Amino acid sequence: MPGPGDILVVDDTMTTLMMLLALLSTQGFQVSSAQSGAEALDLAQKHPPDLILLDYSLPDMDGVAVCRDLKLNPRTRDIPVIFLSSIADADIRVEGFAAGAVDFIAKPFERSELLARVNTHLDLSRLKQRLSKLVEEKTESLRLSEQRFRALIEQAPEAIMVFDKDTGRFVDANRQAERLTGRPLQTLIGLTPGDLYSAEQPDGLPAMETVRMHAARAMQGEVQVFERVIQRPDGETVPCEVRLSKLPSETGHLLRVSYIDISSRMASQEKINRLAYFDNLTGLYNHSGLLEQLHALCALSDEERPPFALLLIDLGDFKYINDVYGNRIGDLLLSCVADRLRQLAGSTGHAGRLGGIEFVLLQTGIANAKTAQALASQVLDTITAPFAVDEMMLSIAANIGVSLGAPHGCNGQELLRDADMALYQAKQRGTRHIELYQAEMGKQMRERIELEKELRHAIEKGQLVLHYQPQIELASGQVVGVEALVRWQHPKKGMISPGQFIPIAEQSGLILPLGRWVLREACQQLRRWHDKRCGLDIKMAVNLSVAQFTDQELPEFVAGVLKETGIAPASLELEITESCTMLSPQQSIRMMQQFRAMGVHSSIDDFGTGHSSLSYLTRFPVDTLKIDQSFIRNIASDEKDTALCDTIAYLAHRMDLRVVAEGVETKEQLTFLSSIQVDVVQGYLLCKPVPAAEAEAFILQRASFSPQAGVEYF
């Protein structure tokens, strides 16, 4: 049995590349990767894979150019190429198929769909290679002698017939041809191709016209490969792949015609189409299927196109239900949501699931914003009404973004994008909100895209800087640590707050290089302070994003930075938010254990705001808990926050953990934190985040403090 196969993944987005490598490797595939077209061509030439997953957009050349180059190279031309693309435009697909691709997979992709397509095309490629090789071997043998020709033609697994171009009729056939066509040899000899073929053919052209065309090309030495449908005498039709090639002959113009039954392949293709256009769980249209319906609607003339609205629905708190009750209940709930949307769509609309927790309703007959608002309200009420799932009543929250089809021309991709922007605005307002797309949203999105483009070059242009907020030990009044906080000093827009660019970095995948820059720069700054004999005992605290914390290469990178800068591992503290640790507790534990083995400290940031379990907290190899500033802010007015801070401090100390309180802004807060024996504090009352030089001066100023018994220093 052959192995799963070798796959080359070509994508310049590291997040997508790592996701594909992990997914395919776990399925047993041997996976290699490239991030540019040139690198992909080089790897394919040196070590031809069994299949290539090729991103449509690459930094040095587009995927179509890469595909064409592969098909021009005899060493790589037979490798199946599947495009990965977030663009579903039909012209782009046509261009990709013309370049030699065998399939398209839309981004973001479904795991099951991707694996199904990969496995199917690998199987088809192997079958094609095996059959082609066998046919070529038989053809070569036929040239040796007329006697061996008959033996070989009978042993071939496919139906083979000999066609005389001069008479336009078949003059010989093997037993497989008898079985395939349902006709005995005596009947086959003397028939024309038109006698065998069904009236309707894949190319839609008259049968005899295409026979003459292919025969003429085959006589010139070209091997013709195409599809035909054979009709048996009982009326049954058989789809076949036809290979037409010239036979040596001294008496006439003979062609070898082989027919391969591709019924199984067609069934597989139908399955692929089903996976390509419909969601496997709910049976609704998926992203590609929905876009097909949108494109069909937009392709109608202004007079023929009915008014319509596109509703994008997000199930905001589904993840919590899925985590509590498990995937089985979650899948049942999603299916129930799909059933309700299907009923709402009726015969005049379409329902779809874009993946995860996003659903779509495409409804005609919606002519204005008022009608669209009413429809969205009906959908919201329907979706948020309780569901009876496995003898339980479950309710979910939802938000809806709406875009209206333009009365004069429309674009499906743009309408979906507009609905997505409206949904984003609705989610910003909370839950159970509806937003209709407005032109201003597009302006805001363009500004965001522009900011993302500039952020990509901010690191190399030296526009990012670190500010440091001192952390002060209550017992001594001295600085025992600093938290590194990134800032963007834009040359035209001035100082851009992290609240503006960090979410963009996380959504665009830039958070990984940005986070690595912050970690290295913070450690280098600590090295500079150590060289000045300043802050020898302080810790440098660096925040980790979700993407960083799930990066398997992070421990190796941290070790490299420590070696490069020469600072002690114990001087570095990596801060992970509570919600981040609970995304995958077991993975979080493994990552923290690697940090601890290196001597690096770990801290749980924003403690109390997530949904962590105390049982996991006892297993996390952490050194510090940071009380979230939202609790500190309300200490003076909210007894619950006061009690919670007291409890967190008591719990942490019983577990031998250090307690840090952030966001300290008033003396009352500081006094309370001292009373519950918080170890370290930071906040604007003491020192705001400042550039390195100001932080250094503050550290030196605090270093001269000499605590005396009974004296309060804050």
Side-chain angles (χ1 to χ4, degrees):
M1 292 291 291
D6 298 335
I7 297 178
L8 172 59
V9 180
V10 187
D11 201 300
D12 62 330
T13 303
M14 183 57 68
T15 303
T16 303
L17 193 63
M18 295 305 295
M19 189 182 305
L20 286 169
L21 289 174
L23 173 60
L24 295 171
S25 296
T26 58
Q27 298 297 314
F29 294 103
Q30 296 295 321
V31 188
S32 56
S33 65
Q35 292 183 272
S36 68
E39 183 183 2
L41 292 171
D42 184 60
L43 284 175
Q45 170 67 23
K46 292 178 179 177
H47 306 288
D50 297 316
L51 184 138
I52 297 175
L53 293 176
L54 178 61
D55 188 10
Y56 195 85
S57 301
L58 294 171
D60 56 339
M61 57 195 299
D62 63 60
V64 170
V66 176
C67 188
R68 289 192 181 118
D69 286 351
L70 288 169
K71 297 305 175 182
L72 290 174
N73 189 333
R75 187 171 170 80
T76 60
R77 64 189 176 193
D78 293 328
I79 301 173
V81 177
I82 300 178
F83 273 122
L84 302 173
S85 175
S86 58
I87 306 173
D89 186 78
D91 291 338
I92 289 178
R93 290 192 178 190
V94 170
E95 185 180 16
F97 285 126
V102 298
D103 208 344
F104 270 77
I105 297 178
K107 290 184 180 179
F109 53 79
E110 290 285 341
R111 176 182 181 277
S112 57
E113 176 191 352
L114 183 138
L115 292 176
R117 291 183 181 226
V118 166
N119 285 317
T120 298
H121 285 295
L122 281 173
D123 290 341
L124 292 175
S125 177
R126 288 169 182 149
L127 177 61
K128 183 176 180 180
Q129 290 174 11
R130 183 175 69 85
L131 292 174
S132 296
K133 182 179 179 181
L134 184 58
V135 169
E136 289 171 3
E137 290 175 352
K138 303 303 181 186
T139 304
E140 183 66 22
S141 298
L142 288 173
R143 296 176 182 174
L144 300 178
S145 70
E146 193 69 27
Q147 293 177 347
R148 292 178 60 192
F149 171 76
R150 170 51 58 188
L152 289 173
I153 199 174
E154 292 299 342
Q155 294 172 10
E158 72 270 32
I160 297 178
M161 303 176 71
V162 178
F163 177 72
D164 188 335
K165 181 177 179 296
D166 295 331
T167 64
R169 299 181 182 277
F170 294 110
V171 295
D172 203 351
N174 65 355
R175 290 188 179 88
Q176 289 289 354
E178 294 182 272
R179 298 187 186 99
L180 180 71
T181 64
R183 295 173 174 87
L185 178 62
Q186 294 80 359
T187 303
L188 285 174
I189 294 176
L191 292 181
T192 68
D195 297 329
L196 294 180
Y197 295 159
S198 170
E200 294 185 4
Q201 294 297 319
D203 56 12
L205 298 175
M208 294 312 297
E209 180 180 330
T210 59
V211 167
R212 287 189 291 272
M213 177 184 68
H214 288 302
R217 291 177 178 176
M219 291 306 301
Q220 294 175 3
E222 299 180 24
V223 177
Q224 299 293 293
V225 181
F226 49 95
E227 292 184 4
R228 283 290 172 264
V229 178
I230 287 179
Q231 184 163 357
R232 298 162 60 95
D234 60 4
E236 179 185 354
T237 57
V238 184
C240 295
E241 178 182 277
V242 185
R243 298 181 70 90
L244 188 65
S245 59
K246 180 181 178 182
L247 282 175
S249 173
E250 297 179 356
T251 59
H253 301 101
L254 300 182
L255 297 173
R256 177 184 184 277
V257 191
S258 65
Y259 295 90
I260 300 174
D261 185 347
I262 57 173
S263 300
S264 298
R265 190 174 84 183
M266 298 290 285
S268 297
Q269 187 63 46
E270 181 64 27
K271 183 178 180 181
I272 290 175
N273 290 338
R274 181 72 188 174
L275 292 172
Y277 293 103
F278 292 91
D279 177 55
N280 193 42
L281 174 64
T282 63
L284 301 180
Y285 284 114
N286 61 14
H287 186 273
S288 298
L290 178 73
L291 280 178
E292 286 288 330
Q293 298 304 317
L294 271 172
H295 291 331
L297 197 57
C298 291
L300 297 174
S301 66
D302 293 344
E303 294 75 18
E304 295 176 322
R305 186 190 316 113
F308 66 94
L310 182 68
L311 279 65
L312 187 57
I313 306 149
D314 179 86
L315 311 181
D317 57 353
F318 172 79
K319 183 180 183 304
Y320 176 73
I321 295 175
N322 201 56
D323 290 344
V324 171
Y325 297 105
N327 292 336
R328 187 181 72 85
I329 297 299
D331 288 348
L332 289 174
L333 180 57
L334 290 175
S335 297
C336 291
V337 172
D339 289 340
R340 292 188 182 180
L341 284 177
R342 193 179 287 109
Q343 292 176 3
L344 285 170
S347 60
T348 59
H350 303 285
R353 181 187 176 211
L354 298 188
I357 57 175
E358 282 193 345
F359 287 80
V360 175
L361 181 64
L362 173 61
Q363 189 61 265
T364 58
I366 310 299
N368 52 54
K370 182 179 179 181
T371 310
Q373 181 76 36
L375 173 63
S377 297
Q378 180 187 1
V379 172
L380 191 60
D381 291 340
T382 302
I383 294 300
T384 56
F387 291 87
V389 180
D390 201 31
E391 300 182 355
M392 294 183 294
M393 297 302 294
L394 300 178
S395 297
I396 53 176
N399 290 292
I400 300 178
V402 183
S403 61
L404 289 171
H408 303 292
C410 63
N411 180 286
Q413 193 70 50
E414 291 180 0
L415 287 169
L416 193 58
R417 181 202 62 193
D418 293 346
D420 190 44
M421 283 190 278
L423 176 61
Y424 176 80
Q425 294 293 332
K427 290 163 68 175
Q428 293 294 101
R429 295 172 56 194
T431 57
R432 287 189 61 86
H433 285 285
I434 298 168
E435 283 287 344
L436 269 68
Y437 172 77
Q438 305 292 335
E440 182 63 24
M441 295 180 186
K443 178 183 177 183
Q444 294 173 0
M445 184 59 68
R446 286 190 293 273
E447 291 175 352
R448 180 197 175 283
I449 293 173
E450 184 64 28
L451 203 62
E452 178 185 329
K453 289 170 56 179
E454 294 178 333
L455 181 58
R456 292 184 180 275
H457 305 290
I459 298 177
E460 59 191 60
K461 292 183 178 180
Q463 296 175 6
L464 295 182
V465 296
L466 291 186
H467 284 191
Y468 303 89
Q469 185 169 43
Q471 298 174 332
I472 300 173
E473 186 178 55
L474 285 176
S476 65
Q478 296 188 353
V479 177
V480 293
V482 293
E483 181 177 359
L485 301 166
V486 66
R487 300 290 187 265
W488 184 3
Q489 184 63 55
H490 194 280
K492 296 181 179 180
K493 301 176 183 177
M495 190 67 76
I496 301 177
S497 71
Q500 284 183 269
F501 69 86
I502 291 297
I504 294 176
E506 290 176 335
Q507 295 168 13
S508 63
L510 293 173
I511 195 66
L512 284 176
L514 188 151
R516 291 193 171 196
W517 178 86
V518 169
L519 184 60
R520 177 179 279 112
E521 178 63 24
C523 291
Q524 289 175 345
Q525 181 57 56
L526 187 58
R527 176 75 267 170
R528 289 191 284 269
W529 282 336
H530 285 178
D531 292 342
K532 293 181 180 181
R533 313 299 296 173
C534 169
L536 295 176
D537 297 325
I538 70 172
K539 293 183 183 297
M540 177 64 71
V542 179
N543 293 286
L544 296 180
S545 68
V546 174
Q548 287 177 279
F549 197 57
T550 55
D551 181 7
Q552 298 301 318
E553 298 179 358
L554 179 61
E556 181 180 350
F557 178 77
V558 172
V561 170
L562 292 174
K563 182 178 180 180
E564 173 188 328
T565 58
I567 66 172
S571 299
L572 178 62
E573 184 167 80
L574 300 177
E575 296 188 359
I576 306 101
T577 63
E578 179 186 8
S579 56
C580 174
T581 62
M582 294 308 298
L583 288 175
S584 179
Q586 294 299 331
Q587 181 177 333
S588 300
I589 292 171
R590 287 194 297 270
M591 186 72 78
M592 291 179 185
Q593 286 173 339
Q594 293 183 71
F595 293 150
R596 173 159 289 185
M598 296 163 54
V600 174
H601 287 221
S602 297
S603 166
I604 294 185
D605 196 9
D606 300 340
F607 188 76
T609 61
H611 302 91
S612 65
S613 166
L614 290 179
S615 64
Y616 276 115
L617 184 58
T618 60
R619 296 167 58 192
F620 286 146
V622 297
D623 306 281
T624 303
L625 288 186
K626 292 189 73 173
I627 303 176
D628 186 65
Q629 60 181 342
S630 63
F631 301 123
I632 307 298
R633 186 181 303 116
N634 299 323
I635 281 176
S637 59
D638 193 325
E639 293 184 0
K640 292 182 180 179
D641 283 349
T642 303
L644 184 57
C645 291
D646 191 2
T647 302
I648 293 174
Y650 175 77
L651 174 66
H653 287 141
R654 289 297 301 270
M655 298 173 64
D656 293 327
L657 301 178
R658 189 176 68 148
V659 182
V660 177
E662 57 184 355
V664 180
E665 298 179 350
T666 67
K667 290 184 178 180
E668 291 81 2
Q669 294 170 354
L670 190 60
T671 300
F672 171 75
L673 295 171
S674 300
S675 70
I676 64 173
Q677 299 181 341
V678 165
D679 301 300
V680 178
V681 294
Q682 67 183 90
Y684 275 40
L685 175 67
L686 310 167
C687 183
K688 66 180 182 179
V690 293
E694 295 181 40
E696 180 180 329
F698 187 86
I699 294 169
L700 293 172
Q701 174 190 351
R702 284 285 177 174
S704 62
F705 273 40
S706 299
Q708 302 175 19
V711 178
E712 183 179 341
Y713 293 96
F714 299 95

